[in-house]
Amino acid sequence: MDHATNDLREFITDLVIPHHRCNVNINPDHITMLEGTKIKKQHSRKRRAHKSGILSRREYAKLGLNTLPTKQMKYEEALPLHNLWKGYVREHLELREGAEVPQVHDPRYDEFSRQLVKLDLHGAKLKVIQSKCRTLENLSGICVMDTKNVLKLLGTDHRLRTIPKSECVFGLKVGNMEFTIFGQHLNIRPAERSVKKIKNFVEPFM
């Protein structure tokens, strides 16, 4: 500490006009020396403490927070979610009583199609109308989880089924209107899909 104080006194003295240097007086009680190594340790400790409060995706998955019980859920328990979704979809697509789906030649068709793909599907009743895997065809249920690559549908038999998006074409019904959605356009997390720029053209489903 004395060595550091002497260095500081010498540094400050050099800054003072020569004929006033004799009046320089440093009070050691007013000096706080910062040690670089301690500062780094304090920062790293704070960083670790802050990081420990946030779960990584791997930790999130390890705790099972991104899964649902396959046999304990009842179809009736998902119906209130579906009723909320029906109000949401009408507001999102700006559907009114007696409204019809815009045709291909309609100026509103492109924008309507983009908004349809951006829908949050939690609570929607979906049906697999075509799939590369024949065993998935005609499966239906209420969507209770929408991830990047799969949809989880709760059927009327109370079974939770995992449906890969890219392998399927889905049917969606809103009132008296029926829509067809290609799963390959849903291969993105719902939060990201809602703000993603959607292509105007549709690639064929092979």
Side-chain angles (χ1 to χ4, degrees):
M1 181 69 180
D2 292 338
H3 178 69
T5 304
N6 291 334
D7 290 342
L8 179 62
R9 182 193 300 273
E10 183 178 346
F11 174 75
I12 294 177
T13 302
D14 289 340
L15 298 177
V16 178
I17 301 173
H19 61 272
H20 286 166
R21 288 178 182 176
C22 59
N23 298 325
V24 173
N25 184 23
I26 297 178
N27 188 343
D29 296 334
H30 295 168
I31 299 175
T32 302
M33 302 303 295
L34 300 179
E35 299 292 339
T37 54
K38 291 184 179 179
I39 293 175
K40 288 181 181 179
K41 289 182 180 179
Q42 290 173 355
H43 281 307
S44 61
R45 197 178 299 117
K46 288 181 181 179
R47 208 177 294 120
R48 285 197 299 270
H50 177 69
K51 186 177 180 181
S52 64
I54 301 174
L55 293 177
S56 66
R57 287 185 180 178
R58 183 174 296 179
E59 293 170 333
Y60 195 84
K62 188 175 181 180
L63 292 172
L65 299 177
N66 57 350
T67 60
L68 293 172
T70 56
K71 296 182 179 179
Q72 289 132 347
M73 299 182 68
K74 301 297 183 183
Y75 181 79
E76 292 75 17
E77 295 174 349
L79 288 175
L81 177 63
H82 174 62
N83 292 331
L84 287 172
W85 182 85
K86 288 192 293 186
Y88 154 75
V89 70
R90 289 189 174 278
E91 181 179 345
H92 181 78
L93 297 178
E94 298 181 355
L95 299 177
R96 303 291 181 266
E97 290 296 332
E100 297 182 355
V101 180
Q103 300 301 311
V104 178
H105 57 272
D106 193 313
R108 299 176 298 146
Y109 178 79
D110 286 342
E111 180 60 26
F112 187 87
S113 300
R114 284 192 289 269
Q115 293 304 320
L116 183 63
V117 173
K118 290 182 178 183
L119 274 177
D120 187 329
L121 297 175
H122 291 95
K125 283 185 179 180
L126 298 170
K127 181 178 181 179
V128 181
I129 58 178
Q130 184 181 348
S131 175
K132 296 177 182 179
C133 180
R134 298 301 178 188
T135 58
L136 296 177
E137 291 185 354
N138 297 317
L139 293 179
S140 62
I142 296 176
C143 177
V144 291
M145 180 174 281
D146 181 0
T147 68
K148 180 178 180 179
N149 297 310
V150 301
L151 293 172
K152 295 198 174 186
L153 304 183
L154 182 62
T156 53
D157 57 354
H158 313 302
R159 288 187 60 187
L160 186 65
R161 295 178 173 88
T162 301
I163 312 295
K165 293 179 180 179
S166 60
E167 306 293 321
C168 303
V169 178
F170 298 94
L172 172 67
K173 190 173 183 180
V174 180
N176 60 346
M177 293 177 286
E178 295 183 3
F179 305 101
T180 300
I181 302 178
F182 290 83
Q184 59 192 359
H185 296 296
L186 303 176
N187 272 354
I188 189 171
R189 293 181 182 85
E192 298 172 4
R193 190 171 68 234
S194 63
V195 295
K196 181 179 173 62
K197 185 175 181 180
I198 306 298
K199 298 177 182 177
N200 286 333
F201 64 93
V202 176
E203 299 174 357
F205 181 77
M206 303 300 292

